Amino acid sequence: MEKLQKLLVALILLSTLSCSQDILDKEPLSSFSAQGFYKTTSDAQAGVYGIYESLQSNYRINFAYWGEGRADAVETNHSGDPLLLKQNSLNKTMSSAQWNSLYQTISRANYAIKYVPEVSESEFGMRLVGEARALRALSYFYAVRIWGDVPLITEPYESVEQELFVERTDKELVLDQIVEDLKFAAENCNTNFGGERDRVLITQGGANALLTQVYMWRKDYQNASSTADLVLDNSLYSLVSMADWSKIFTTGYSNESIFEVGYNDVQTNALRVLYALGSDSDYLPSQKFRNSFEDGDLRQTKIYDTTAAEPRKIWKYFGEGFNDESPDPSSNNIVLVRLADIMLLKAEALNELGQTTDALDLLNVIRNRAGLENLDEAGAIAAYGDVQAAILHERAIELSYEGHRWFDLVRTGKAIQVMQPISGLSDEANLVWPIHEDALNRNPNLDQNSFYQ
């Protein structure tokens, strides 16, 4: 995509952004002396852009394995991780059990957080540190949701005097650090950058949106509602029309997008292989998911091939009617956070706080866009059992295949209830992933998650 390629070049290569010309040719910041790298503000910006670059490998396929592969909206005919996840047969050698790429991002962020202030203590420097801390928080947020307790490393490794074999830290302490990092980012990041950069760089709105997700994970509904308000009141974000809904994913950079990982023809992802090959994609829409749409939902034909008796194509990221069987990598962006997500999280928080009418008002904004009628409390109970279930159903449709469904089931305590008939999930200790054997072999102070011992 020419537009995306230009943006990535602008972010990483062009001198107009004071970025080192060869940032992507440099070794990862974790493998050389940062004292020798961080000398100028251009170096500082290049270092932070290097953190963004590392996100491309983190989420190119794992955003779906982690967020959708164990949930109820997908089926698979593939072996390997797709089948292991769907059958709940996780093991310590599967690729999605690796945390290496997340810790590479964390390492790069740690160097930037330490050394950028030595180059610039100005507002510009604090902005860069804010972005680095938000990206570190994002990585740790995935880590604690996937593995539970994980090693918490907040300093770059630079000396043999430092502990190399770091033990796991209680997940609540890791979440405390995530909140601290995101609060700093919300105070120090730019309010906006202008144009497409507002969607692929962390802004104050992006930090507040991530805080909303974290607070909801912790069931801190009051704080979640407050940070969600900051996002909903932010003029950078607005819902797109239903006519433009597919463009959120096919084109990227929409007004609804809060943070997306940028890709281009060189830095690619696996969206096509995950969802859109048709005859041989990793995932197919499950029968349960296909049956869950209300009559008249305008999103259904935009999400998967409704013309086939046994649909095999999830074309949400490529557009209705997509019919390209090429296994080539994709250059589409991956949208990690968008406004509809935060609106529905706020609706959920309000319902938990007893403000059901306000919760339904937000839910109905999303429903109305999809061509559906308003739900009142009685209608929500009649259709879904209660208001919370109606909101979760709306999230399952609106945010389908975006990497949210498994985490929604876990944080609401519904994973076993929903997945036991499908995958046999029955033990809360099984909600986390196993730690990969490579990590265990390299670090004698790590112990395997109890379910997999």
Side-chain angles (χ1 to χ4, degrees), residues 35-55:
Q35 291 120 322
F37 178 80
Y38 285 97
K39 295 179 180 179
T40 67
T41 54
S42 294
D43 296 333
Q45 192 160 41
V48 173
Y49 285 154
I51 310 171
Y52 284 104
E53 183 267 342
S54 71
L55 301 185

Side-chain angles (χ1 to χ4, degrees), residues 241-292:
S241 68
M242 200 64 223
D244 289 331
W245 189 79
S246 290
K247 293 180 183 178
I248 298 171
F249 318 101
T250 61
T251 305
Y253 313 110
S254 73
N255 289 339
E256 189 162 328
S257 172
I258 297 174
F259 183 66
E260 53 195 72
V261 180
Y263 294 89
N264 60 21
D265 292 335
V266 178
Q267 291 94 4
T268 58
N269 58 54
L271 279 172
R272 193 191 302 262
V273 174
L274 279 166
Y275 294 135
L277 284 187
S279 61
D280 197 37
S281 57
D282 279 349
Y283 291 122
L284 320 171
S286 69
Q287 183 72 55
K288 179 182 178 183
F289 176 74
R290 299 185 335 249
N291 291 343
S292 67

